[in-house]
Amino acid sequence: MRRAFPLLVGLATAASAAVGADLHERTLANGLRVIVKEDRRAPTVAHLVWYRVGAMDETSGTTGVAHVLEHMMFKGTQTVPAGEFSRRVAAAGGRENAFTGHDYTVYFQQVERSRLGLMMQLEADRMANLVVAPGEFAAEIKVVHEERRLRTEDRPRELVYESLMAVAFKVHPYRRPIIGWMTDLEAMTADDVRDWYARWYAPNNAFLVVVGDVSAESAFQLAQTHYGAIPPRPLPTRKPRTEPPQEGGRRLIVKAPAELPYVLVAYKAPVLRDAAKDREPYALAVLAAVLDGSDSARLKARLVRGRRIANEVGASYEAIARGPGVFLLDGVPARGRPAAELESALRGEVATIASHGVTAEELERAKIQFVARQVYKRDSIFAQALELGMLESAGLSHRDADRILERIRAVTADEVREVARKVLVEDASTAATLDPQPVDPNRPRPRSAAPRH
């Protein structure tokens, strides 16, 4: 049989050529970093403003404020009325939106290359001149209430995840949902949002990522023109909130209307801090791909098609984060099969790898699939910008993208076995089970999530 490893080499080489050659960086006098990647394949450009602040920077009583401010950033400045930002982007033939995470808040546009200056002008204006009008806030906070109901409270699996994170972490703010607790949202005021904006939205707490059909020098000049005059501000001191070691397994049950049970298991796991020296995060990424990288991966092959004890199974892990990481296993039992049986089977597959390792074929397939997904994403201007920004937001370098792929290629079967044995242990896990309650046939089903703005 022809070995596929040359394909892995070729993919990683192509990725290296795509990322490394056309990256440029400059920092303005006010502290705003500008990262530019030239990509001439299409006459478009992606412009992303990343603020180094997210839900993990919130305090009890104001959870959700980072996300609420994201909404309010579209509600007008001293010179641009509410709704006008999006209208101008649309008139320029572009698309735009924003998203909030635990680690960051991001605003983006993708437009024809000649409109980049206009996008910078609009973003710089709301970086410096946002108006949080009482009437606009009163209307928008109701939108956020409904978003929480739609995306979390009416979705049993999201409730399970939210509840699990609140138990898995005792100290670290990852225990709180990005959208916030409903009680905090109901008590939130316009002053809370203004205070958050004043404390964190400054050029020295942000960076730009520009990718597309633009020269780096012209992008730097535009950034200086539009952002350069915004003064820096002193930033709040970020105090460490280190999660203490977990001393034993944790367990919870969530009751909610649903047709079938659901199982979610989270293991505390390391994340990348040094892309050159760390090893375990790469092995965990490959392990997740071995378990759930394709239809032929272990979990689906053994638990869905083989033993037929599950309708759905999955494994996931994110190596890039400012805070601590988790490795997740989840699944929906087949009708009539107990949730406890599926949880035991999921843990059993991990234990088998910890004891006996993975085959050479599994390892090779998992690495090829991982690298291929990363390389294929680079066909997208926006996905390239997103990758660079995610690395920076976690305290890594945008230039680490190639190194990460190289280190994934170097993961060995022994490393996968060892990380399963060392990290995915019951004493470092939290298991949540959805106990399905009767579904009211007259209750409206959750709608598809609507665009935020």
Side-chain angles (χ1 to χ4, degrees):
M1 182 181 71
R2 183 180 66 87
R3 293 186 58 78
F5 188 71
L7 174 60
L8 183 60
V9 175
L11 286 169
T13 302
S16 182
V19 172
D22 299 313
L23 272 172
H24 309 270
E25 179 183 346
R26 188 171 297 176
T27 301
L28 306 186
N30 60 9
L32 180 70
R33 291 178 63 215
V34 184
I35 300 165
V36 181
K37 183 177 185 300
E38 299 175 358
D39 187 325
R40 307 289 188 170
R41 288 177 290 177
T44 63
V45 62
H47 171 249
L48 287 74
V49 181
W50 295 73
Y51 290 93
R52 297 181 183 275
V53 64
M56 73 173 284
D57 300 293
E58 297 167 348
T59 57
S60 295
T62 57
T63 62
V65 68
H67 172 246
V68 173
L69 176 56
E70 175 212 312
H71 279 245
M72 294 306 299
M73 286 283 280
F74 291 83
K75 300 304 174 182
T77 69
Q78 297 171 12
T79 57
V80 178
E84 183 67 12
F85 185 104
S86 296
R87 191 200 67 78
R88 292 186 187 181
V89 175
R95 65 184 186 94
E96 48 82 39
N97 213 317
F99 54 93
T100 303
H102 276 115
D103 302 341
Y104 47 73
T105 311
V106 186
Y107 303 86
F108 68 86
Q109 303 85 39
Q110 187 165 352
V111 292
E112 193 273 331
R113 61 189 176 189
S114 67
R115 314 303 275 173
L116 177 59
L118 174 61
M119 299 303 104
M120 289 193 181
Q121 177 187 342
L122 289 168
E123 281 290 4
D125 176 49
R126 64 181 180 179
M127 178 183 285
N129 303 309
L130 184 69
V131 174
V132 181
E136 293 289 348
F137 171 79
E140 199 62 25
I141 195 67
K142 293 178 181 178
V143 172
V144 177
H145 292 171
E146 180 61 21
E147 184 179 340
R148 178 177 166 84
R149 294 187 189 98
L150 173 67
R151 295 175 182 267
T152 302
E153 295 179 2
D154 288 344
R155 296 180 182 273
R157 295 190 197 182
E158 293 302 318
L159 278 176
V160 170
Y161 176 79
E162 180 179 271
S163 300
L164 178 141
M165 294 296 284
V167 171
F169 292 105
K170 296 297 186 182
V171 173
H172 197 275
Y174 278 6
R175 72 187 312 272
R176 300 192 292 259
I178 293 168
I179 199 168
W181 301 115
M182 184 62 90
T183 52
D184 288 348
L185 294 174
E186 290 172 342
M188 193 169 292
T189 68
D191 283 341
D192 292 328
V193 179
R194 294 188 192 101
D195 179 63
W196 189 261
Y197 176 77
R199 284 191 290 143
W200 295 109
Y201 276 47
N204 48 316
N205 195 44
F207 61 93
L208 304 187
V209 177
V210 178
V211 176
D213 190 9
V214 61
S215 73
E217 192 57 40
S218 65
F220 293 145
Q221 290 175 2
L222 286 170
Q224 178 61 45
T225 297
H226 296 292
Y227 292 99
I230 303 174
R233 290 199 300 272
L235 298 171
T237 300
R238 286 185 167 101
K239 296 182 179 181
R241 285 172 280 185
T242 304
E243 182 70 16
Q246 187 170 331
E247 301 297 342
R250 299 169 186 164
R251 184 170 297 279
L252 66 148
I253 295 174
V254 178
K255 294 185 176 184
E259 295 182 359
L260 292 171
Y262 173 64
V263 174
L264 180 63
V265 182
Y267 298 88
K268 299 286 179 54
V271 296
L272 275 178
R273 295 289 179 242
D274 187 322
K277 296 180 180 179
D278 291 344
R279 296 298 303 172
E280 288 183 344
Y282 300 116
L284 285 166
V286 173
L287 174 58
V290 168
L291 290 169
D292 186 30
S294 67
D295 286 339
S296 59
R298 283 206 181 194
L299 294 184
K300 291 180 182 177
R302 299 190 181 194
L303 305 186
V304 177
R305 295 194 303 275
R307 297 170 60 186
R308 298 185 178 181
I309 65 172
N311 290 339
E312 300 175 38
V313 286
S316 61
Y317 166 74
E318 294 294 337
I320 298 171
R322 277 171 57 195
V326 291
F327 189 105
L328 297 173
L329 301 174
D330 73 329
V332 175
R335 191 171 295 277
R337 306 300 286 262
E341 180 187 24
L342 177 55
E343 181 189 335
S344 177
L346 289 168
R347 291 184 185 270
E349 292 300 327
V350 170
T352 297
I353 291 176
S355 297
H356 304 291
V358 297
T359 68
E361 182 181 355
E362 283 181 309
L363 180 69
E364 187 174 344
R365 181 173 62 241
K367 290 196 286 186
I368 289 171
Q369 289 164 347
F370 184 96
V371 173
R373 284 196 300 270
Q374 297 303 111
V375 173
Y376 296 152
K377 283 194 299 187
R378 295 178 186 178
D379 287 336
S380 161
I381 295 294
F382 178 74
Q384 291 179 67
L386 194 63
E387 178 183 44
L388 300 178
M390 287 290 186
L391 289 168
E392 289 289 332
S393 70
L396 299 166
S397 168
H398 58 278
R399 297 188 182 277
D400 284 331
D402 291 343
R403 178 176 284 122
I404 289 171
L405 293 181
E406 292 167 1
R407 298 306 291 270
I408 288 290
R409 283 181 53 207
V411 170
T412 68
D414 285 342
E415 287 177 318
V416 174
R417 178 179 178 178
E418 177 61 17
V419 82
R421 185 196 65 80
K422 178 181 176 182
V423 175
L424 304 192
V425 296
E426 186 168 356
D427 281 350
S429 72
T430 303
T433 301
L434 172 64
D435 181 0
Q437 303 299 296
V439 177
D440 182 355
N442 297 317
R443 183 179 182 181
R445 297 181 65 85
R447 298 165 291 167
S448 298
R452 285 183 180 164
H453 309 294

